[in-house]
PDB file of all heavy atoms in Angstrom:
ATOM      1  N   PHE A 523       7.263   6.336  -0.628  1.00 96.00           N
ATOM      2  CA  PHE A 523       6.016   5.640  -0.333  1.00 96.00           C
ATOM      3  C   PHE A 523       5.383   6.060   0.990  1.00 96.00           C
ATOM      4  O   PHE A 523       4.160   6.070   1.103  1.00 96.00           O
ATOM      5  CB  PHE A 523       6.255   4.129  -0.319  1.00 96.00           C
ATOM      6  CG  PHE A 523       6.553   3.543  -1.664  1.00 96.00           C
ATOM      7  CD1 PHE A 523       7.863   3.348  -2.085  1.00 96.00           C
ATOM      8  CD2 PHE A 523       5.527   3.187  -2.523  1.00 96.00           C
ATOM      9  CE1 PHE A 523       8.147   2.808  -3.331  1.00 96.00           C
ATOM     10  CE2 PHE A 523       5.787   2.645  -3.772  1.00 96.00           C
ATOM     11  CZ  PHE A 523       7.107   2.463  -4.178  1.00 96.00           C
ATOM     12  N   GLY A 524       6.167   6.332   2.012  1.00 95.00           N
ATOM     13  CA  GLY A 524       5.600   6.654   3.314  1.00 95.00           C
ATOM     14  C   GLY A 524       5.031   5.433   3.997  1.00 95.00           C
ATOM     15  O   GLY A 524       5.429   4.291   3.746  1.00 95.00           O
ATOM     16  N   ALA A 525       4.054   5.679   4.879  1.00 94.00           N
ATOM     17  CA  ALA A 525       3.443   4.582   5.633  1.00 94.00           C
ATOM     18  C   ALA A 525       2.520   3.777   4.737  1.00 94.00           C
ATOM     19  O   ALA A 525       1.747   4.327   3.964  1.00 94.00           O
ATOM     20  CB  ALA A 525       2.672   5.130   6.822  1.00 94.00           C
ATOM     21  N   GLY A 526       2.588   2.454   4.855  1.00 94.00           N
ATOM     22  CA  GLY A 526       1.719   1.604   4.053  1.00 94.00           C
ATOM     23  C   GLY A 526       2.319   0.235   3.860  1.00 94.00           C
ATOM     24  O   GLY A 526       3.329  -0.117   4.498  1.00 94.00           O
ATOM     25  N   ALA A 527       1.693  -0.541   2.959  1.00 96.00           N
ATOM     26  CA  ALA A 527       2.096  -1.931   2.790  1.00 96.00           C
ATOM     27  C   ALA A 527       2.156  -2.296   1.308  1.00 96.00           C
ATOM     28  O   ALA A 527       1.268  -1.924   0.536  1.00 96.00           O
ATOM     29  CB  ALA A 527       1.126  -2.866   3.507  1.00 96.00           C
ATOM     30  N   PHE A 528       3.177  -3.019   0.922  1.00 97.00           N
ATOM     31  CA  PHE A 528       3.312  -3.524  -0.450  1.00 97.00           C
ATOM     32  C   PHE A 528       2.432  -4.759  -0.617  1.00 97.00           C
ATOM     33  O   PHE A 528       2.527  -5.712   0.160  1.00 97.00           O
ATOM     34  CB  PHE A 528       4.775  -3.865  -0.743  1.00 97.00           C
ATOM     35  CG  PHE A 528       5.669  -2.655  -0.764  1.00 97.00           C
ATOM     36  CD1 PHE A 528       6.451  -2.333   0.343  1.00 97.00           C
ATOM     37  CD2 PHE A 528       5.714  -1.825  -1.870  1.00 97.00           C
ATOM     38  CE1 PHE A 528       7.261  -1.214   0.334  1.00 97.00           C
ATOM     39  CE2 PHE A 528       6.529  -0.699  -1.886  1.00 97.00           C
ATOM     40  CZ  PHE A 528       7.302  -0.388  -0.784  1.00 97.00           C
ATOM     41  N   ASP A 529       1.571  -4.705  -1.644  1.00 96.00           N
ATOM     42  CA  ASP A 529       0.597  -5.775  -1.902  1.00 96.00           C
ATOM     43  C   ASP A 529      -0.249  -6.073  -0.670  1.00 96.00           C
ATOM     44  O   ASP A 529      -0.714  -7.203  -0.470  1.00 96.00           O
ATOM     45  CB  ASP A 529       1.298  -7.047  -2.386  1.00 96.00           C
ATOM     46  CG  ASP A 529       1.660  -6.973  -3.871  1.00 96.00           C
ATOM     47  OD1 ASP A 529       1.428  -5.923  -4.490  1.00 96.00           O
ATOM     48  OD2 ASP A 529       2.189  -7.968  -4.414  1.00 96.00           O
ATOM     49  N   GLY A 530      -0.470  -5.056   0.161  1.00 92.00           N
ATOM     50  CA  GLY A 530      -1.244  -5.263   1.369  1.00 92.00           C
ATOM     51  C   GLY A 530      -0.614  -6.236   2.334  1.00 92.00           C
ATOM     52  O   GLY A 530      -1.276  -6.736   3.251  1.00 92.00           O
ATOM     53  N   PHE A 531       0.696  -6.506   2.182  1.00 95.00           N
ATOM     54  CA  PHE A 531       1.371  -7.554   2.961  1.00 95.00           C
ATOM     55  C   PHE A 531       2.516  -7.000   3.795  1.00 95.00           C
ATOM     56  O   PHE A 531       2.461  -7.022   5.026  1.00 95.00           O
ATOM     57  CB  PHE A 531       1.878  -8.638   2.014  1.00 95.00           C
ATOM     58  CG  PHE A 531       2.798  -9.645   2.643  1.00 95.00           C
ATOM     59  CD1 PHE A 531       2.317 -10.549   3.582  1.00 95.00           C
ATOM     60  CD2 PHE A 531       4.139  -9.695   2.299  1.00 95.00           C
ATOM     61  CE1 PHE A 531       3.165 -11.488   4.178  1.00 95.00           C
ATOM     62  CE2 PHE A 531       4.993 -10.627   2.878  1.00 95.00           C
ATOM     63  CZ  PHE A 531       4.506 -11.518   3.818  1.00 95.00           C
ATOM     64  N   LEU A 532       3.548  -6.499   3.155  1.00 97.00           N
ATOM     65  CA  LEU A 532       4.743  -6.053   3.874  1.00 97.00           C
ATOM     66  C   LEU A 532       4.603  -4.574   4.195  1.00 97.00           C
ATOM     67  O   LEU A 532       4.612  -3.724   3.308  1.00 97.00           O
ATOM     68  CB  LEU A 532       6.005  -6.297   3.036  1.00 97.00           C
ATOM     69  CG  LEU A 532       7.348  -6.216   3.758  1.00 97.00           C
ATOM     70  CD1 LEU A 532       8.453  -6.793   2.881  1.00 97.00           C
ATOM     71  CD2 LEU A 532       7.743  -4.810   4.156  1.00 97.00           C
ATOM     72  N   GLN A 533       4.483  -4.275   5.472  1.00 96.00           N
ATOM     73  CA  GLN A 533       4.294  -2.893   5.916  1.00 96.00           C
ATOM     74  C   GLN A 533       5.630  -2.294   6.345  1.00 96.00           C
ATOM     75  O   GLN A 533       6.340  -2.854   7.179  1.00 96.00           O
ATOM     76  CB  GLN A 533       3.303  -2.833   7.077  1.00 96.00           C
ATOM     77  CG  GLN A 533       3.054  -1.428   7.597  1.00 96.00           C
ATOM     78  CD  GLN A 533       1.899  -1.384   8.576  1.00 96.00           C
ATOM     79  OE1 GLN A 533       0.915  -2.097   8.432  1.00 96.00           O
ATOM     80  NE2 GLN A 533       2.028  -0.545   9.598  1.00 96.00           N
ATOM     81  N   LEU A 534       5.946  -1.144   5.766  1.00 96.00           N
ATOM     82  CA  LEU A 534       7.168  -0.437   6.139  1.00 96.00           C
ATOM     83  C   LEU A 534       7.035   0.171   7.523  1.00 96.00           C
ATOM     84  O   LEU A 534       5.989   0.723   7.879  1.00 96.00           O
ATOM     85  CB  LEU A 534       7.443   0.699   5.157  1.00 96.00           C
ATOM     86  CG  LEU A 534       8.076   0.389   3.811  1.00 96.00           C
ATOM     87  CD1 LEU A 534       8.193   1.672   2.992  1.00 96.00           C
ATOM     88  CD2 LEU A 534       9.460  -0.235   3.993  1.00 96.00           C
ATOM     89  N   GLN A 535       8.097   0.101   8.311  1.00 96.00           N
ATOM     90  CA  GLN A 535       8.207   0.908   9.519  1.00 96.00           C
ATOM     91  C   GLN A 535       8.932   2.190   9.132  1.00 96.00           C
ATOM     92  O   GLN A 535       9.972   2.150   8.468  1.00 96.00           O
ATOM     93  CB  GLN A 535       8.964   0.172  10.608  1.00 96.00           C
ATOM     94  CG  GLN A 535       8.157  -0.970  11.207  1.00 96.00           C
ATOM     95  CD  GLN A 535       8.819  -1.512  12.465  1.00 96.00           C
ATOM     96  OE1 GLN A 535       9.659  -2.389  12.386  1.00 96.00           O
ATOM     97  NE2 GLN A 535       8.439  -0.996  13.615  1.00 96.00           N
ATOM     98  N   ILE A 536       8.374   3.320   9.528  1.00 97.00           N
ATOM     99  CA  ILE A 536       8.905   4.610   9.112  1.00 97.00           C
ATOM    100  C   ILE A 536       9.072   5.510  10.326  1.00 97.00           C
ATOM    101  O   ILE A 536       8.479   5.276  11.381  1.00 97.00           O
ATOM    102  CB  ILE A 536       7.985   5.279   8.081  1.00 97.00           C
ATOM    103  CG1 ILE A 536       6.657   5.682   8.733  1.00 97.00           C
ATOM    104  CG2 ILE A 536       7.732   4.345   6.892  1.00 97.00           C
ATOM    105  CD1 ILE A 536       5.798   6.568   7.876  1.00 97.00           C
ATOM    106  N   PRO A 537       9.864   6.570  10.217  1.00 96.00           N
ATOM    107  CA  PRO A 537       9.932   7.546  11.312  1.00 96.00           C
ATOM    108  C   PRO A 537       8.623   8.310  11.432  1.00 96.00           C
ATOM    109  O   PRO A 537       7.916   8.540  10.440  1.00 96.00           O
ATOM    110  CB  PRO A 537      11.068   8.479  10.871  1.00 96.00           C
ATOM    111  CG  PRO A 537      11.825   7.735   9.822  1.00 96.00           C
ATOM    112  CD  PRO A 537      10.827   6.854   9.143  1.00 96.00           C
ATOM    113  N   ASP A 538       8.288   8.688  12.650  1.00 92.00           N
ATOM    114  CA  ASP A 538       7.126   9.536  12.928  1.00 92.00           C
ATOM    115  C   ASP A 538       5.813   8.895  12.488  1.00 92.00           C
ATOM    116  O   ASP A 538       4.880   9.588  12.061  1.00 92.00           O
ATOM    117  CB  ASP A 538       7.283  10.913  12.260  1.00 92.00           C
ATOM    118  CG  ASP A 538       8.528  11.642  12.740  1.00 92.00           C
ATOM    119  OD1 ASP A 538       8.805  11.589  13.957  1.00 92.00           O
ATOM    120  OD2 ASP A 538       9.224  12.254  11.909  1.00 92.00           O
TER     121      ASP A 538
END
Side-chain angles (χ1 to χ4, degrees):
F523 291 95
F528 293 100
D529 280 3
F531 170 69
L532 195 167
Q533 180 170 324
L534 280 178
Q535 288 191 272
I536 68 169
D538 301 319

